[in-house]
Amino acid sequence: MGKRNRAALLPTNIPQLQNLIKRDPLSYKEEFLQQLRHFESSRAIFELKPEELSTDFQDLINFIAQVSPCYPEETKEFPDQIITLLSKHYQILNAELRRTMVSSLVLLRNREMISSTSLLSLFFTLFRCRDKVLRDILYNHIVSDIKTSNQKAKNNKMNKTLQGFMYTMLTSAEGAAGTGSENAIAAKRSLDVCIELYRKNIWNDAKTVNVIAHACFSPVTKIMVTALQFFLGNNEDGDDSEDEDELPDIKAMQHKQNVSKKTKSKAKQMDKMITTLKKKQRAKKKAETFNFSALHLLNDPQGFTEKLYTHLASSRERHEVQLMLMNLISRIIGVHKLTILAFYPYLQKRLQPTQKDVTQIIAIAAQSSHDLVPPDVIEPVIQTLANNFVTEHCAAEVMAAGLNGIREIVSRCPLAMEATLLQDLTEYKNHRDKGVMMASRSLIGLFREINPELLKKKDRGRNAAMNMRDYKPSQYGESHNDGDLEGLQLLAENADDDNAGEDNWDEWEEASEDEEDEVNGGWINVSDDEADLNIKLSDDDDSESEDENGVKKPKTKRLTVNKERRLKKKGLLPKDEDETAPKEEDEETKAKRLQLQAERKEKLAAAQLLATTKILTPADFAKIEALKLAKKADEKLNPVRAGSGKRPAPADDQQGEGEVSIGSIIGPRKKAKQDYAERMESIKNGREGREKFGSRKGSTERGSTTNKEKSKGKNFMMIAHKREVREKKKMSLREKQVQLHAHIKKQKMMKK
């Protein structure tokens, strides 16, 4: 009787039927076919009024999607029917029913019962729906499905189809009326999918980057800002690095399991942690994938940048969006060394101390400077910075920002600096403000390396004065190829240590140092040209007369007491100590200089020989990367032993992508004065955990009690000798009555 009743209720109780079919599909096939016919008739009725919500039809869709793996032949047309319904009526469907259809299609896709291309094309179309929850579901499934499809190998056919479809979605938003239109919403979500897949290193090809680059010219501000942030931001996904740091502690878990009570849940947790750890270890052993910056994958950087500048010049967007456009243009100019001559006068107009975000604009001007830009174009920018920022009537922070900005520009385009302007700027080396002083001295240190002839003699320094004999100023367009062979030079130096393995880098460094010491000993014997050396080392014109007359040396050196005091205040060594130094130091310094030049030539020759005689393998490139990392680490730990003779750039890691940090423009500065909001915030933070300030009148909580209250709790023998107690004993009956009546009256008055 129970079985008959259950069979009678099965057509109406769909969840129970679903459970029974999953247990025994063959026994309940007739009931499933009955429900399938019911679905066909309900679908025909639903197409007459698709805007209405049908709960029975929704339950049938969910039921068939769940049990379809049990009857693949009978349900082979079911996915196409749902896709057709969504394609025709997705705009007018009920939101709940539409989500049920999408969820059923996702379930069928996870069970490999529907192709990915047809389903994802439909999901991109469904981005036009005004349903935020549905768009989140679609976005998560699209990203995970494409990631799964490309996990074992790149599915190029599917990728090209979907990339073309996304490009169509982005172009459809060009005629959108506003940000809230359907095409704009779909284009924004499609762009988010592209960016997320690029960051996950799934779609990291040039086609994806150029699809995103096309979105930079979108009339919809949200789409344009998203594309600009992609090119300006960090393209690597930081979630993986955070997961790697939070590895489970297996030893602690094993110890805890041994000493505590053993349960099944703890054993499952332990197995799960071991599986996670093994997965992390396998991921570390995988081959490293190099992800180039998106700026390097642009098809036509020059044309793209010109279109961006045209869009910027005619743009009426808000200031933040224009700043992002300027930043991207300057970054591409710096990375690809492009020439956009009209961009520099555009920046020059905005180089004013009162301009909003002027420090970022100065950084943008530095990013867009390189050695292939004509110096005549950069000179007005530098002159504008000097006139508007580096003047006495400006604040110290403004002067420091101007000097640092000029330093960043001329470090990329040295020919744009004039000797007169440079010598004027170096006069701030003794300024009372520390930021201005350090900015001016950093400018002096820069030109001691790139062009010491522009500096005054007293600012050139000892090493720069020595190297001026062999110095040749670089001309416009001249390129130096020494840095291009840096990796090959390291590989050539390490060619003899291939059999030692990759773990013996420290031994290789020590061997190189020993060889350098041996070479130093061989290079001490040089030809005698002391006279030329002494002439080059002299900083003043009076030194030649002093050399001729040795008797007058002390008199000419110590001109006045004030001058000697000024030299000591500046921290410079007295010149009589420099001249009384032994000549062997000068000869040794010159020998070291010649030795370094010979070593550079030998390394360059070995690298050129290796480049022309050997085809580099992937193992060689991996070895070059390891050698570069070891060299950087050694230079940071031992800067003196590096022996490069070059001043390290302040932001070397960022300059590879053409970026200049705002911190390098602002420079070191004192703690800025707090504004009103910051002061109020600090005051509120100081009041936390403290009683409210004010009068305590009427409050029951007091720090102490009165002497009268304390006497009430004392022992009688402690207060028996007091005058008040003795007088109270002597009171008459009438006095006691009067005192009692007065007390009762006082209590009544207090209650009122």
Side-chain angles (χ1 to χ4, degrees):
M1 188 70 182
K3 291 184 178 179
R4 293 179 185 176
N5 291 336
R6 187 174 66 178
L9 292 173
L10 280 181
T12 57
N13 193 355
I14 292 180
Q16 185 180 5
L17 178 61
Q18 175 182 326
N19 185 23
L20 294 172
I21 287 175
K22 287 183 177 180
R23 294 183 178 183
D24 191 2
L26 295 177
S27 301
Y28 295 93
K29 187 174 182 180
E30 293 297 330
E31 286 81 357
F32 170 74
L33 293 177
Q34 181 182 358
Q35 296 294 336
L36 185 62
R37 290 191 295 269
H38 183 40
F39 166 75
E40 295 290 344
S41 59
S42 300
R43 182 174 62 87
I45 297 172
F46 174 76
E47 287 184 349
L48 298 176
K49 293 182 179 180
E51 67 276 1
E52 294 182 357
L53 174 62
S54 177
T55 308
D56 295 337
F57 185 60
Q58 182 177 345
D59 295 339
L60 285 172
I61 291 173
N62 195 11
F63 165 73
I64 297 175
Q66 290 287 343
V67 301
S68 56
C70 302
Y71 309 102
E73 291 295 328
E74 288 79 2
T75 59
K76 61 182 179 181
E77 296 180 357
F78 174 72
D80 295 334
Q81 293 172 352
I82 301 299
I83 289 174
T84 305
L85 285 175
L86 282 173
S87 302
K88 288 182 179 179
H89 312 293
Y90 69 91
Q91 292 285 10
I92 59 175
L93 282 175
N94 181 269
E96 188 176 352
L97 178 60
R98 187 167 51 205
R99 290 175 205 160
T100 303
M101 290 183 177
V102 170
S103 301
S104 63
L105 290 177
V106 170
L107 182 63
L108 294 173
R109 171 63 193 138
N110 293 336
R111 293 174 176 176
E112 300 291 338
M113 297 187 66
I114 185 174
S115 63
S116 177
T117 307
S118 59
L119 182 63
L120 294 182
S121 301
L122 171 67
F123 281 2
F124 278 113
T125 307
L126 292 180
F127 274 140
R128 294 188 173 95
C129 297
R130 295 184 178 275
D131 188 354
K132 192 173 182 180
V133 178
L134 177 65
R135 290 199 297 268
D136 292 337
I137 296 172
L138 296 173
Y139 173 79
N140 294 327
H141 174 71
I142 288 172
V143 173
S144 61
D145 191 19
I146 296 176
K147 182 180 179 180
T148 306
S149 302
N150 292 273
Q151 192 168 9
K152 295 182 179 179
K154 292 285 185 181
N155 192 348
N156 293 322
K157 184 177 179 181
M158 183 192 72
N159 293 341
K160 289 181 180 179
T161 303
L162 294 178
Q163 285 169 357
F165 192 81
M166 287 185 185
Y167 182 78
T168 306
M169 296 286 289
L170 290 175
T171 53
S172 65
E174 293 180 358
T179 309
S181 64
E182 298 172 356
N183 291 333
I185 294 172
K188 173 67 169 57
R189 275 298 189 172
S190 302
L191 183 62
D192 292 340
V193 171
C194 273
I195 293 173
E196 185 65 23
L197 292 173
Y198 183 89
R199 286 176 177 164
K200 289 183 178 294
N201 208 16
I202 300 170
W203 284 2
N204 55 357
D205 54 347
K207 187 172 183 180
T208 306
V209 173
N210 287 279
V211 168
I212 300 173
H214 182 77
C216 293
F217 308 104
S218 175
V220 183
T221 306
K222 276 190 175 181
I223 298 176
M224 179 177 64
V225 168
T226 304
L228 292 175
Q229 287 176 345
F230 165 74
F231 285 107
L232 294 174
N234 189 12
N235 298 329
E236 297 178 358
D237 192 4
D239 298 337
D240 299 337
S241 60
E242 294 178 359
D243 295 339
E244 290 178 1
D245 297 337
E246 299 177 357
L247 292 176
D249 191 356
I250 301 298
K251 290 184 179 180
M253 288 295 297
Q254 288 176 347
H255 177 71
K256 187 177 180 181
Q257 192 176 14
N258 291 333
V259 299
S260 62
K261 185 179 180 180
K262 298 175 179 60
T263 58
K264 289 184 179 180
S265 60
K266 290 181 180 179
K268 288 181 180 179
Q269 187 179 5
M270 184 68 186
D271 295 338
K272 187 177 180 181
M273 291 178 68
I274 293 174
T275 305
T276 305
L277 185 63
K278 289 181 178 179
K279 187 177 179 181
K280 297 286 184 183
Q281 291 176 352
R282 284 196 302 268
K284 287 182 179 180
K285 293 180 180 179
K286 287 184 180 180
E288 186 178 0
T289 56
F290 296 98
N291 188 6
F292 292 100
S293 174
L295 298 178
H296 295 283
L297 298 177
L298 294 170
N299 286 339
D300 184 13
Q302 181 72 31
F304 176 69
T305 311
E306 289 177 355
K307 288 177 67 178
L308 272 180
Y309 174 70
T310 305
H311 184 62
L312 172 65
S314 60
S315 175
R316 294 185 179 180
E317 299 287 347
R318 61 182 188 272
H319 174 71
E320 290 78 8
V321 180
Q322 291 183 356
L323 206 62
M324 294 174 67
L325 283 169
M326 288 189 284
N327 196 1
L328 180 57
I329 291 171
S330 65
R331 190 85 66 83
I332 300 174
I333 289 174
V335 169
H336 294 279
K337 293 190 175 183
L338 307 178
T339 304
I340 309 291
L341 300 180
F343 182 62
Y344 302 98
Y346 181 86
L347 293 176
Q348 188 178 346
K349 297 176 183 177
R350 287 158 176 77
L351 291 176
Q352 300 290 338
T354 56
Q355 174 69 37
K356 185 180 179 181
D357 297 325
V358 69
T359 52
Q360 190 169 355
I361 295 176
I362 295 174
I364 289 170
Q367 286 173 181
S368 59
S369 304
H370 54 85
D371 53 356
L372 297 183
V373 180
D376 298 338
V377 180
I378 303 293
E379 281 180 10
V381 179
I382 297 176
Q383 195 68 41
T384 303
L385 277 173
N387 294 338
N388 296 343
F389 289 82
V390 193
T391 53
E392 290 294 339
H393 67 271
C394 294
E397 292 83 0
V398 177
M399 295 175 65
L403 287 169
N404 289 324
I406 292 173
R407 184 199 67 226
E408 293 293 337
I409 292 174
V410 297
S411 65
R412 291 161 174 78
C413 187
L415 299 178
M417 176 59 76
E418 296 179 352
T420 307
L421 178 59
L422 177 63
Q423 292 172 8
D424 290 342
L425 297 177
T426 55
E427 292 298 326
Y428 291 98
K429 62 186 177 183
N430 297 320
H431 196 271
R432 61 182 178 274
D433 185 76
K434 187 176 181 181
V436 179
M437 177 193 68
M438 294 182 67
S440 179
R441 292 189 180 185
S442 66
L443 196 61
I444 294 173
L446 174 66
F447 274 90
R448 281 180 179 176
E449 299 173 5
I450 59 177
N451 194 355
E453 289 182 348
L454 298 181
L455 293 169
K456 294 180 180 179
K457 286 186 178 181
K458 62 180 181 180
D459 295 332
R460 289 174 185 172
R462 186 182 182 90
N463 294 330
M466 281 195 328
N467 295 330
M468 279 186 63
R469 181 178 179 182
D470 300 329
Y471 173 74
K472 292 181 181 179
S474 58
Q475 302 297 325
Y476 173 70
E478 184 179 357
S479 61
H480 301 281
N481 295 325
D482 294 346
D484 298 336
L485 298 174
E486 181 184 359
L488 290 176
Q489 290 177 11
L490 294 174
L491 191 63
E493 292 175 4
N494 199 49
D496 299 335
D497 298 336
D498 291 338
N499 298 327
E502 296 181 357
D503 297 330
N504 296 328
W505 299 116
D506 297 334
E507 297 177 0
W508 171 74
E509 290 175 358
E510 291 176 2
S512 65
E513 290 174 7
D514 295 337
E515 291 174 2
E516 288 178 359
D517 295 338
E518 293 175 4
V519 175
N520 287 338
W523 274 97
I524 290 177
N525 297 325
V526 294
S527 60
D528 294 331
D529 42 0
E530 298 176 358
D532 297 337
L533 185 63
N534 290 333
I535 291 173
K536 282 294 177 182
L537 284 174
S538 62
D539 289 342
D540 298 331
D541 297 335
D542 298 337
S543 61
E544 294 180 359
S545 63
E546 291 171 2
D547 292 337
E548 293 173 1
N549 301 323
V551 183
K552 297 182 180 180
K553 277 184 181 180
K555 296 181 180 179
T556 54
K557 286 304 290 182
R558 298 173 182 171
L559 295 175
T560 58
V561 179
N562 293 332
K563 184 174 181 181
E564 186 177 359
R565 189 184 298 116
R566 285 198 303 269
L567 291 174
K568 289 181 180 179
K569 191 175 181 180
K570 293 178 182 178
L572 301 174
L573 293 175
K575 293 188 178 181
D576 54 348
E577 293 181 6
D578 290 339
E579 292 180 2
T580 56
K583 293 184 178 180
E584 285 79 13
E585 292 183 359
D586 298 338
E587 294 176 359
E588 186 177 354
T589 306
K590 182 178 179 181
K592 288 182 179 180
R593 176 174 57 83
L594 296 175
Q595 172 201 347
L596 289 173
Q597 291 178 358
E599 286 180 356
R600 289 172 190 161
K601 289 181 181 179
E602 289 178 1
K603 291 179 182 179
L604 184 60
Q608 290 176 349
L609 180 64
L610 184 65
T612 54
T613 57
K614 183 180 179 180
I615 298 176
L616 298 180
T617 61
D620 293 331
F621 285 111
K623 193 173 184 180
I624 288 173
E625 292 297 327
L627 288 170
K628 285 182 178 179
L629 290 175
K631 184 181 178 183
K632 286 183 180 179
D634 184 61
E635 287 180 355
K636 287 182 179 180
L637 294 174
N638 304 298
V640 178
R641 195 174 67 178
S644 60
K646 294 183 179 180
R647 181 181 64 90
D652 194 22
D653 297 336
Q654 296 179 349
Q655 287 179 6
E657 300 298 328
E659 185 179 1
V660 177
S661 63
I662 299 179
S664 62
I665 301 297
I666 297 175
R669 54 180 297 185
K670 297 180 181 179
K671 185 178 179 181
K673 187 177 180 180
Q674 291 182 334
D675 56 2
Y676 178 77
E678 293 175 347
R679 289 199 304 272
M680 293 303 298
E681 184 179 0
S682 63
I683 291 171
K684 290 179 181 178
N685 294 334
R687 289 177 178 174
E688 291 181 359
R690 192 192 72 182
E691 295 182 4
K692 187 177 180 182
F693 182 77
S695 176
R696 295 183 179 180
K697 186 176 181 180
S699 63
T700 57
E701 297 179 1
R702 286 179 291 183
S704 180
T705 56
T706 62
N707 291 334
K708 189 175 182 180
E709 291 174 347
K710 289 177 182 177
S711 63
K712 292 179 180 179
K714 289 182 180 180
N715 191 3
F716 178 75
M717 297 305 296
M718 296 176 65
I719 59 175
H721 63 281
K722 290 187 174 291
R723 182 174 56 85
E724 294 86 359
V725 179
R726 292 198 306 267
E727 290 179 356
K728 193 174 181 181
K729 288 181 180 180
K730 298 176 181 178
M731 288 175 62
S732 64
L733 182 61
R734 179 60 183 167
E735 290 175 348
K736 290 181 180 179
Q737 288 178 350
V738 171
Q739 189 177 13
L740 181 60
H741 284 298
H743 176 69
I744 294 171
K745 186 177 180 181
K746 185 178 180 181
Q747 292 295 326
K748 289 180 180 179
M749 294 295 293
M750 290 179 65
K751 288 181 181 180
K752 292 180 181 180

